[in-house]
Amino acid sequence: MAVLRGSIVSFASGPYTATVRLDGSAAQTVESVAVSRGIGSGEMVGGRKVVVDTGDHNHPGDFVVTAVWA
């Protein structure tokens, strides 16, 4: 399982998912990334840095944002 860094592009509070741009991938984003409910929605501001856990199969549907910081 890989842990990747990225930044928030946008956040949807209803489904609690984010669009994330992974570091080193300036033009490509990953949409509908689940966000840990332990992270307050007020922390999910565009441009902030995140850690993304890719899960066991490295499939974007398994990705989860596990940390966020300024």
Side-chain angles (χ1 to χ4, degrees):
M1 142 178 47
V3 178
L4 305 172
R5 289 176 46 159
S7 58
I8 300 168
V9 175
S10 64
F11 174 69
S13 61
Y16 230 71
T17 60
T19 299
V20 175
R21 178 169 290 113
L22 299 175
D23 286 358
S25 180
Q28 188 173 9
T29 60
V30 182
E31 297 179 356
S32 300
V33 177
V35 176
S36 168
R37 293 288 179 153
I39 299 172
S41 61
E43 298 295 319
M44 298 299 293
V45 177
R48 293 191 84 186
K49 296 302 236 173
V50 294
V51 169
V52 178
D53 182 340
T54 64
D56 291 335
H57 304 291
N58 201 24
H59 184 275
D62 295 336
F63 289 8
V64 178
V65 173
T66 58
V68 61
W69 68 95

